[in-house]
Amino acid sequence: MELTSRALVYALGAVAAAALLATLWLWPRLARQRPLPLLGRIALLTVTQVSVLSVLLLSVNDSYGFYSSWNDLLRPGAAPVALAAARAPGAAPDAPVLVRPSAEGGLEGVKDVLPEGPPEEVGRVDSVRITGTASGLADQVFVYLPPEYFNQRYARERFPVLLALAGYPGPSLHLVEGLRLPHTAADLQRDGQLAPTVIVMARPTVAPPRNTECVDVPGGPRAETWFAQDVPAALRSAYRVGRSAGSWGVFGYSTGGSCALRLGMRHPEVFGSAAGLHADYTVPNDRWTDGDLFRGDRAAAQQCDLNWRLKNLPAPAENLLVVSTRAEEDFPATEQFLAAAKQVAAAHPEFRVDSLVLPDGGHSFETWRRELPATLEWLSDHLAPPPDREPRS
C-alpha cells in the first residue's frame, strides 16, 4: 500500500482496535508474575501503542504531506533514480532518462475528484517521476493533459504550460484533491474560459521535511534550479509543450504562491507569467526552514526578497498577479508589495502587475478554490500560444 493511501490508515486502525480488545481480553489471563505472562503483557502493550501511534502519524502525514511516498520516508537523502521513459531531445542513447511513470502520491485514492470521462473529452492526469540533471533532485508530480492533447487535429501542436505549486508542507496531491485543480481546469476549458493547457502539479517540498522556499540552499538542496531548469527540461523531453517563456506560467497558493512570484521575477526567461495566492514576499527564518536558509549570506537573501528586488534591480519582463483577501493576517504586506510593484510597473511597461483581492476568506482551500477560476483565466489570457510545432517524422 502507498504511504498516503487511506486503506493503510484504515488497516492500521483495525489493527489498533483489535490490539486494544485483545489487551482487555487477555490481560486477566496474563496477571501472573512469571516470565511468560510478563512478556505477554509487554507484547500486548507494545503492539497497541505502536499501532495507535502509527495511525496518528499517518493521519498527520496525510493532512500535512511531509512524506508523499515510502521512498520519501525511508530514503530521504537518496540519489535520483535512473529513469526509463523520456530523454532530452537530441540526447545520447546513454543519457539519463528524465521522466518515467510513477504510482507514487496516492492518485488512485482521489479518482472521485478527477474529471470523469475518456481523455479525448475531459483530459487525463498522469503521475510521473522527474529526475533533474542540474539540481540532482528527483520528485513525483502530476501532469494534467487537456482533451485536445489526444485529438489528431492537434497531433503536431505544442501546448502552453502552467506549473502549479502546493503549499508547505502539502503534497502535490493537495492540488488535485484539496484545490481540485484538474476538475476546475476541465470545466473552464469546456466553457472556453481556459485555453487548452498542460498543467503540472508539484510540491515545493523537494527535500522533505525541510521547507526550502524554492531557493538554492548554500550547501543544500538546489530547489530553485529544480523548478527553473530541471522541471521544464524534463517536461519538454516527454510532452508536446511550449519552449518559450511566453507559453509558460507558474502559480501556487501559500508557500507555493511565494515560490511562484519569486520564480517569475527571478526567471522571466523561463516563466513569462506568475500568480501568487496568499503569498509571502520574503523568505522566512523559522523552524520549518531550519533557521537561515542562506547561512548568513545577506546578498543571497536580498536576491530572494521581492520587495528588495523591486527597489534595487531592473524590472523584469514579467506578468504578475497577486491574489489575497482583506481578512488575510498578512494583508498589509500584500498592500505594501502591490504599491511598490505598481509604482515600478508605471515606469516600466514590460513589467505588468494585476491584483485580485476578495473582501473575506482565510488561509484555506475553501478560499483558494474561490480564487482559482479567476486566477486560471488570468493566466490563460497572458499565456502566448507556443509558436513551435512538433517536427514531422
Side-chain angles (χ1 to χ4, degrees):
M1 296 181 190
E2 282 291 324
L3 180 64
T4 55
S5 70
R6 295 172 184 170
L8 181 59
V9 176
Y10 296 153
L12 284 175
V15 171
L20 178 60
L21 291 174
T23 300
L24 295 174
W25 179 262
L26 295 174
W27 196 265
R29 292 167 174 76
L30 299 174
R32 296 182 181 180
Q33 299 301 316
R34 293 182 180 179
L36 287 179
L38 179 60
L39 291 175
R41 294 198 298 272
I42 293 174
L44 285 173
L45 291 174
T46 300
V47 172
T48 302
Q49 293 189 20
V50 169
S51 56
V52 170
L53 182 61
S54 297
V55 172
L56 176 62
L57 293 176
L58 283 172
S59 299
V60 171
N61 188 66
D62 284 350
S63 298
Y64 293 98
F66 292 104
Y67 302 97
S68 65
S69 68
W70 290 109
N71 188 66
D72 272 354
L73 176 64
L74 301 177
R75 303 173 61 202
V81 298
L83 303 183
R87 293 184 174 86
D94 58 347
V97 178
L98 305 180
V99 179
R100 67 175 173 84
S102 170
E104 297 179 24
L107 193 61
E108 287 294 320
V110 295
K111 287 188 174 181
D112 56 323
V113 296
L114 294 177
E116 295 183 6
E120 59 271 17
E121 294 181 7
V122 300
R124 186 182 76 195
V125 179
D126 290 348
S127 176
V128 300
R129 187 169 181 84
I130 292 178
T131 280
T133 56
S135 67
L137 296 170
D139 203 10
Q140 178 262 353
V141 304
F142 300 122
V143 181
Y144 169 75
L145 303 172
E148 289 78 3
Y149 196 91
F150 306 96
N151 190 321
Q152 284 301 313
R153 291 178 53 195
Y154 300 87
R156 294 183 56 239
E157 299 292 334
R158 297 186 185 273
F159 291 81
V161 183
L162 288 177
L163 173 62
L165 301 175
Y168 173 85
S172 308
L173 194 65
H174 280 181
L175 291 158
V176 178
E177 186 176 27
L179 196 62
R180 299 174 189 170
L181 179 52
H183 197 285
T184 303
D187 287 346
L188 291 175
Q189 287 180 156
R190 185 175 56 252
D191 296 339
Q193 297 171 289
L194 176 66
T197 304
V198 172
I199 302 178
V200 182
M201 292 161 275
R203 58 176 180 166
T205 319
V206 295
R210 190 181 190 187
N211 181 12
T212 60
E213 286 283 334
C214 303
V215 305
D216 284 352
V217 179
R222 300 178 64 193
E224 184 174 350
T225 299
W226 163 256
F227 286 115
Q229 296 183 37
D230 289 335
V231 171
L235 293 169
R236 288 168 182 146
S237 76
Y239 295 99
R240 301 194 315 275
V241 296
R243 301 180 181 279
S244 62
S247 62
W248 279 69
V250 57
F251 75 101
Y253 61 85
S254 191
T255 297
S258 308
C259 290
L261 295 179
R262 193 175 301 117
L263 287 167
M265 290 186 65
R266 285 177 57 81
H267 297 280
E269 77 286 356
V270 179
F271 304 104
S273 301
L277 283 66
H278 300 236
D280 291 322
Y281 309 96
T282 60
V283 176
N285 297 329
D286 55 29
R287 57 175 178 166
W288 307 115
T289 60
D290 287 345
D292 183 6
L293 283 174
F294 303 101
R295 300 188 177 184
D297 188 336
R298 186 167 178 268
Q302 288 177 332
Q303 289 290 326
C304 294
D305 185 324
L306 301 188
N307 290 299
W308 184 90
R309 294 184 69 86
L310 288 174
K311 294 178 182 178
N312 297 279
L313 295 179
E318 185 74 11
N319 302 304
L320 288 188
L321 174 66
V322 176
V323 182
S324 190
T325 67
R326 297 189 181 279
E328 181 67 75
E329 183 178 355
D330 63 347
F331 183 66
T334 296
E335 289 184 302
Q336 178 186 352
F337 175 80
L338 279 173
K342 290 181 177 180
Q343 184 177 3
V344 172
H348 301 276
E350 71 277 12
F351 180 62
R352 294 165 290 276
V353 181
D354 292 316
S355 60
L356 171 62
V357 178
L358 300 183
D360 54 31
H363 207 78
S364 66
F365 281 112
E366 180 181 358
T367 301
W368 299 326
R369 283 195 296 267
R370 289 167 53 201
E371 299 163 343
L372 180 61
T375 300
L376 290 176
E377 288 185 55
W378 181 92
L379 285 163
S380 182
D381 289 342
H382 289 80
L383 286 178
D388 45 354
R389 293 166 62 92
E390 285 286 303
R392 292 186 183 275
S393 56

